[in-house]
């Protein structure tokens, strides 16, 4: 969405056309892409947060940021608007203190390693793992890319009102059930 602001050349938004970027931003505006959503006990977000937040507030912030960026795409103001969005919408897009994905980063950027054990109950991705990881109230489910090309390792999290489990494809065509909470 704002690759120029972080100077990463191989991000999705630097490898697609302006029209495709607009299409993606329209998906955010339509509510098909969100910053977070609520489960029974856990909040789900791309990267997570160290502090509590209101799901509706961060989703509205993402929609507002997308709308601002959409008007700038393809204009000389594109990079300028991108650079202002992290400061304007810090809960969602803030850069981390020591690196983009470091402590203090927003819901889109912070790495799992920087989420404290006493963070709000949440399920996150954004930090590649070979197996589900848990630190206190935070569970990381980003398994696909780290396991690409290997037998097994893919998995999904399933939350019910009573539990959170990981269903993992085993190396021998089975499914392993791992209780997380």
């Amino acid at each position: 969405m704002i690759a120029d602001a972080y100077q990463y050349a191989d991000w999705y938004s630097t490898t697609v056309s302006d029209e495709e970027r607009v299409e993606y931003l329209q998906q955010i505006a339509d509510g098909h892409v969100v910053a977070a959503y609520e489960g029974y006990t856990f909040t789900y977000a791309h990267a997570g947060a160290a502090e509590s937040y209101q799901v509706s507030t961060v989703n509205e912030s993402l929609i507002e940021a997308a709308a601002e960026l959409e008007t700038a795409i393809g204009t000389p103001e594109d990079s300028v608007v991108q650079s202002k969005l992290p400061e304007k919408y810090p809960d969602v897009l803030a850069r981390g203190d020591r690196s983009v994905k470091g402590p203090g980063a927003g819901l889109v950027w912070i790495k799992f390693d920087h989420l404290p054990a006493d963070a709000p109950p949440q399920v996150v991705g954004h930090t590649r793992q070979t197996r589900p990881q848990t630190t206190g109230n935070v569970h990381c489910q980003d398994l696909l890319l780290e396991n690409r090309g290997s037998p097994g390792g893919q998995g999904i999290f399933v939350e019910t009102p009573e539990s959170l489990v990981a269903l993992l494809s085993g190396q021998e065509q089975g499914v392993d059930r791992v209780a997380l909470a």
Side-chain angles (χ1 to χ4, degrees):
M1 185 166 119
I2 56 175
D4 289 354
Y6 301 105
Q7 300 174 346
Y8 284 101
D10 60 348
W11 282 9
Y12 169 79
S13 59
T14 62
T15 61
V16 297
S17 69
D18 287 347
E19 292 79 20
E20 290 168 310
R21 288 176 65 208
V22 167
E23 269 183 51
Y24 178 72
L25 295 172
Q26 288 172 346
Q27 293 297 311
I28 293 171
D30 292 343
H32 300 299
V33 176
V34 296
Y37 63 93
E38 295 180 37
Y40 293 105
T41 303
F42 297 91
T43 300
Y44 293 75
H46 173 67
E51 303 293 328
S52 294
Y53 59 88
Q54 291 293 321
V55 169
S56 59
T57 301
V58 296
N59 286 337
E60 189 58 40
S61 290
L62 184 63
I63 290 168
E64 289 173 17
E68 285 186 41
L69 182 56
E70 186 177 347
T71 63
I73 289 178
T75 73
E77 294 298 307
D78 194 345
S79 289
V80 173
V81 170
Q82 288 184 50
S83 69
K84 292 179 181 179
L85 292 177
E87 195 170 307
K88 191 167 182 180
Y89 302 100
D91 288 348
V92 179
L93 300 173
R95 298 173 180 94
D97 301 333
R98 297 186 296 257
S99 69
V100 170
K101 300 174 184 181
L107 278 172
V108 172
W109 303 122
I110 194 166
K111 288 187 78 164
F112 173 73
D113 311 351
H114 301 301
L115 294 170
D118 64 348
Q122 57 194 306
V123 173
V124 302
H126 191 62
T127 306
R128 296 177 183 178
Q129 310 288 341
T130 56
R131 303 279 299 166
Q133 300 295 312
T134 297
T135 299
N137 295 321
V138 184
H139 305 278
C140 184
Q141 67 173 351
D142 189 352
L143 307 177
L144 294 178
L145 288 177
E146 209 58 27
N147 291 314
R148 184 176 42 196
S150 65
Q154 298 80 18
I156 60 168
F157 282 25
V158 177
E159 182 184 6
T160 69
E162 297 81 31
S163 67
L164 177 67
V165 298
L167 301 177
L168 308 171
S169 62
Q171 293 185 9
E172 302 295 326
Q173 297 183 336
V175 174
D176 298 326
R177 183 182 189 273
V178 178
L180 300 169

